[in-house]
Amino acid sequence: MKRRSLPVAAALTATAALLLTACGSGDNKSSDNDKIAGADAGATKTSASPSATDAASRPKVTLPGDLSDTFESWKTGDATKDAVLADVARRVDATNYAITEGDAKSPVLSFYYSGTALADARDWVQSIVKDGYSITGANRYYNAKIDVFDASSAGVVYCEDQSKAFAKDRKSKKVYKTAVTNKSYVLYTGRLEKSKQGVWQTTKLTSQRGHKSCTP
C-alpha cells in the first residue's frame, strides 16, 4: 500500500496551523466500491450542525476555548448520508483535539480512523507536536459532497477554510498569523467504512490546497 508523504516540513513554518489533518492514501487501483465522491459537485444549501445521533456511544471531544470547528450545510436530509457526515465532523474535531492535547496516541483518533488513515493521522499529530506547535482560531468546513456505495462504505469530499486558523507555540503561546491566500483553502477527499460498532471510520484521506472548488 503506497502512502502519501506528509508535508512535515511545512509544520516548521509560520503556516503550520494550515496543515491540520493527516493525508492518507491508497494504491492506484480503483473499482466501483473504491470511488470517492466528485470534487466539483455542489453542496447542499441547507445550513445545519452535525447530527447528534448515537452521541452517547461516542467519546466526548471538547476543543479548547480558542479553537472552533464550524460545519456549514452539513446535512442532506438523507439519514445515512447525514450519519456519515456527522462522523466526519467528529473525526475532524477529534484530530484537532489530539493536536491541542499533544497526544498522537489519543483513543479518539482510533475511534474515527482506521487503516492507513489512522497511521497517517497519528504521524501528522506527532509531527506538529514534536515541532512545538498547537493550533488556534476558527476552521470552517463546507461544500460537502457524499456518495454512499453500500451499507458499509462511502466517499466524501469537502472543503476547509483555514484563513482564520493559525499555529500557536506550545510553550510561549505565541500565535503566528499569516496572510490569506488560495493555499488557505483545502479540498479533502476521503473514504469511510462502517465499523461493527456502527461508526463511520475514515480509512483513506488526501488533501489538496488551493483547489478551485474550495477557493473564493
Side-chain angles (χ1 to χ4, degrees):
M1 190 73 75
K2 186 174 75 173
R3 290 179 61 183
R4 178 179 175 182
S5 61
L6 295 172
V8 176
L12 298 173
T13 72
T15 59
L18 298 181
L19 304 168
L20 305 182
T21 304
C23 297
S25 69
D27 54 34
N28 294 322
K29 297 178 181 179
S30 63
S31 67
D32 289 342
N33 210 37
D34 199 38
K35 294 178 181 177
I36 298 296
D40 295 321
T44 176
K45 298 297 184 180
T46 303
S47 177
S49 59
S51 171
T53 302
D54 295 330
S57 64
R58 286 155 167 78
K60 183 178 181 180
V61 173
T62 303
L63 296 176
D66 65 338
L67 179 66
S68 66
D69 292 335
T70 301
F71 302 89
E72 292 184 358
S73 301
W74 216 250
K75 279 191 175 181
T76 67
D78 178 273
T80 301
K81 289 183 178 181
D82 288 347
V84 175
L85 286 175
D87 276 340
V88 170
R90 295 179 183 118
R91 186 260 298 161
V92 169
D93 283 346
T95 306
N96 291 342
Y97 171 81
I99 293 173
T100 61
E101 290 291 298
D103 185 4
K105 295 183 179 180
S106 173
V108 299
L109 294 178
S110 57
F111 196 90
Y112 291 111
Y113 289 95
S114 64
T116 302
L118 174 58
D120 285 345
R122 285 173 169 166
D123 286 349
W124 184 231
V125 172
Q126 182 59 35
S127 72
I128 295 176
V129 174
K130 181 179 178 181
D131 292 330
Y133 290 105
S134 183
I135 52 178
T136 188
N139 298 296
R140 181 174 66 94
Y141 302 89
Y142 56 102
N143 283 3
K145 171 65 178 179
I146 182 169
D147 285 336
V148 176
F149 307 136
D150 52 43
S152 60
S153 64
V156 65
V157 170
Y158 61 94
C159 297
E160 179 183 13
D161 173 3
Q162 298 177 344
S163 63
K164 296 180 180 179
F166 309 103
K168 182 174 72 172
D169 189 282
R170 302 192 77 88
K171 291 183 178 180
S172 70
K173 308 303 180 183
K174 178 180 178 180
V175 176
Y176 297 90
K177 292 191 175 182
T178 53
V180 178
T181 70
N182 284 350
K183 298 297 184 181
S184 303
Y185 303 91
V186 189
L187 176 71
Y188 291 92
T189 305
R191 176 179 172 84
L192 299 99
E193 296 180 9
K194 196 172 185 179
S195 70
K196 294 180 180 179
Q197 292 73 33
V199 178
W200 287 94
Q201 295 181 318
T202 295
T203 59
K204 295 181 181 179
L205 186 66
T206 59
S207 64
Q208 182 178 349
R209 294 192 166 278
H211 194 279
K212 64 181 181 180
S213 66
C214 296
T215 55

